[in-house]
Structures are given as C-alpha cells and as structure tokens.
Amino acid sequence: MVMLLFLVLLKLIPANCLDFVQGRIVGGYTPSPNSIKYIVSLQSSNGQHFCGGSLVHKSWVLTAAHCNIGMDQMMVVAGDYTLGAYEGTEQYSKPLLLNLHPQYNRSTNNADILLIQLSAPIELNRYVSLAPLPKQNAGLLAGRVCQVSGWGSISHSGGLTPLTLRTVKLPIVSTSKCNSSNSFSGNITTNMICAGSSTGGKDACKGDSGGPLVCDGRVYGLVSWGNGCGDSRFPGVYTAVSRFRRWIDQTIYNPYSQCLKSAGLFSRED
Ligand SMILES: *[C@@H]1O[C@H](CO)[C@@H](O)[C@H](O)[C@H]1NC(C)=O
Ligand SMILES: *[C@@H]1O[C@H](CO)[C@@H](O)[C@H](O)[C@H]1NC(C)=O
Ligand SMILES: *[C@@H]1O[C@H](CO)[C@@H](O)[C@H](O)[C@H]1NC(C)=O
C-alpha cells in the first residue's frame, strides 16, 4: 500500500525520481483563487508543503493521521493559493496539540484522521472560511460526484516554486467494488470511502494527503492512500469523515477532555 504523504526527505531522492514523488492532483484543473476557502497547506519547518487539511474551527484543522510528522515540524497555512508566493491572504499558525485518532493503525490505514489544535486562531475573512462536515454516519451513493483538491510541492531543483491549488471531480466508488479482489481485495474498512474515475486518469496523489474530498459542499473524505495515482482499477481511498463526526465534535467542543490531553494524563496514541 502506498501512503500518499508527500515525502519530506526529498533531499535523499535522486532528481530523476522527483517527477514520481512530486505528484499532484491528477487530471484536474486550477480553481479560481481562494475559491476553496477552508483548505490549508501543512508545511514543514523549512516551508515545504507536505499535506493538505481543512479548517473546521478557527482553532482546529482536520487532516490525515499519516500526515503527522511531529508537532514541532509543522506549520499550518490558511488562505493560500500559490505556494511559495506571498499573496497577502496567507495566515500562519503552529500546532498547539495533535489529537490523533486512538484507533489509527498505520499498517492498515484504518482511522487515518488527525485533529490539529492551533496555537493561534485563524481569522475568518474573504479568503478563509470553515469547512462544513457531514452528519455522523451520513452515507454517499456510488456515482455521486465529489471534488478533491490539493497542491503539488517542490521544483526539480529542490527549491520552492509557485504552485497553485488543483482540483478534480471524481465519482464515489462503492465499497463492495473497491474492496473486491479486482481492487483492494479486503483492505477497505468501514472507516474508508473510495472515489475515482472508472476510466482512470483522475485522482489525488502524493502531497494531496489529508486534503478534502468534498461532496454536496461537505468534507466527506480525507485523502488517505491508494495504489499508484489515476489507475482505474485502484480508486483513491479516503478517510470517511462521517464516521468520525462525533469524535471531531467531542474533541473540539469538550474542554474537559482537552485539558486532560494537554496535561498528558492519557496517551493519545494507543
Ligand atoms: C493494526 O492492524 C493489524 C491488522 O489488523 C493488527 O494486527 C495490529 O495489531 C493493529 N495495530 C494496532 C496498533 O492496533
Ligand atoms: C492488502 O493488504 C495486504 C496487507 O497489508 C497487502 O499485502 C496487500 O498488498 C494489500 N492489497 C491491496 C490490493 O492493496
Ligand atoms: C472488506 O473485505 C474484508 C475481507 O473480506 C472484510 O473483512 C471487510 O469487512 C470488508 N470491508 C467492508 C467495509 O465491508
């Protein structure tokens, strides 16, 4: 299984492999500037984009658990459009607390979901808004067309280049088809949804991890994993956000559990 986390250790990778590593939304297009107002870029301490996320509260970002590279290494950037270019709409915030889902399993990718509490709230304005979420256990029918968005990352020289947000429209693929022996053969859990074009060529890819799959205006999926990018046999696999709506609300709105967690009174990773 190929995790879609953009490799942070690009320096270790020969230049001729960069095209593969650098993947971004496959087969998509550039949306108009700041039209997807809740998407955030997660960047490493040297300003390199490695994952996407969604602003779900002025102090909280929703992303994939496999995007956790350590709190000290992460910066959240809201209001961005072209990476590496200052547009005057960006807002930066460091994480205060990482809340990894207790059921996250990095070998199966189950419960690949992470809430990041920000050290300073993001101001909501013309360029930044909150992502609407689905209700607990809300389902999606196969064939429903959704939209996934994300950024590519780094130039061949290894420096930052201006790269604009990309987006692509994709239909939901039924779990039975996605979990069948022709596809992911039993590796799809109830906490995952699949989306991809039946003819291939359209997909999320490395560097898009954690970013939003939006259906009916709500973030139903988080880019999680796959097998290559844009292969019609293997749709993209997304964390099913509707399975975690209650957990998200409890985490954000329960001050008591937040106190316990920030005091380290119980483990966040078991
Ligand atoms: C992850 O899932 C695998 C396969 O189901 C299981 O063997 C393993 O114990 C799980 N790991 C954790 C940390 O839950
Ligand atoms: C399913 O998971 C197993 C165990 O992780 C792995 O060996 C296998 O390649 C996976 N198959 C697909 C199609 O993802
Ligand atoms: C996918 O298939 C495996 C193996 O048959 C099964 O255990 C699992 O429950 C299936 N997933 C879903 C969501 O039905």
Side-chain angles (χ1 to χ4, degrees):
M1 283 185 242
V2 184
M3 299 297 279
L4 297 180
L5 169 60
F6 186 82
L7 298 180
V8 176
L9 301 171
L10 268 181
K11 289 194 186 79
L12 301 177
I13 296 161
N16 60 356
C17 301
L18 276 174
D19 276 334
F20 174 72
V21 172
Q22 191 184 25
R24 59 197 77 146
I25 294 287
V26 177
Y29 59 95
T30 301
S32 57
N34 308 103
S35 56
I36 304 170
K37 300 180 203 295
Y38 46 78
I39 196 168
V40 302
S41 164
L42 303 186
Q43 302 184 356
S44 62
S45 24
N46 62 359
Q48 192 172 291
H49 168 89
F50 65 91
C51 270
S54 301
L55 194 69
V56 294
H57 176 280
K58 61 189 189 333
S59 297
W60 292 84
V61 163
L62 185 66
T63 185
H66 80 268
C67 290
N68 177 14
I69 60 165
M71 196 161 89
D72 299 341
Q73 310 295 316
M74 295 164 88
M75 177 68 90
V76 169
V77 188
D80 214 347
Y81 179 60
T82 302
L83 296 178
Y86 179 69
E87 295 156 311
T89 54
E90 300 90 344
Q91 294 184 56
Y92 298 82
S93 186
K94 285 188 110 18
L96 176 69
L97 160 75
L98 299 186
N99 207 312
L100 211 54
H101 195 278
Q103 264 135 41
Y104 173 53
N105 185 320
R106 67 181 69 220
S107 55
T108 61
N109 303 317
N110 193 39
D112 188 9
I113 191 165
L114 167 69
L115 274 166
I116 302 174
Q117 186 175 21
L118 303 176
S119 55
I122 298 290
E123 186 198 326
L124 306 182
N125 58 29
R126 278 171 59 200
Y127 311 101
V128 180
S129 67
L130 301 182
L133 298 175
K135 294 198 171 86
Q136 178 70 28
N137 294 329
L140 286 171
L141 293 177
R144 171 66 58 81
V145 176
C146 304
Q147 182 173 356
V148 61
S149 308
W151 280 278
S153 190
I154 290 288
S155 74
H156 287 235
S157 61
L160 277 174
T161 49
L163 287 172
T164 48
L165 187 64
R166 306 277 296 172
T167 190
V168 67
K169 293 193 166 115
L170 295 168
I172 295 294
V173 174
S174 71
T175 295
S176 56
K177 188 173 179 197
C178 195
N179 202 21
S180 73
S181 54
N182 288 326
S183 192
F184 288 109
S185 43
N187 290 330
I188 304 301
T189 71
T190 52
N191 294 324
M192 301 172 187
I193 51 177
C194 302
S197 150
S198 56
T199 53
K202 292 179 175 185
D203 204 353
C205 200
K206 293 182 179 62
D208 293 322
S209 275
L213 176 75
V214 176
C215 318
D216 290 336
R218 294 175 191 273
V219 177
Y220 271 84
L222 309 176
V223 177
S224 181
W225 61 285
N227 187 341
C229 303
D231 180 339
S232 61
R233 220 181 116 192
F234 296 103
V237 187
Y238 297 79
T239 309
V241 172
S242 76
R243 303 277 301 167
F244 299 100
R245 176 62 198 268
R246 213 171 283 140
W247 175 77
I248 292 167
D249 287 350
Q250 280 166 359
T251 304
I252 295 179
Y253 296 105
N254 184 341
Y256 183 62
S257 76
Q258 269 181 50
C259 283
L260 289 176
K261 279 173 183 153
S262 46
L265 293 180
F266 54 80
S267 165
R268 271 166 256 153
E269 291 189 316
D270 59 11

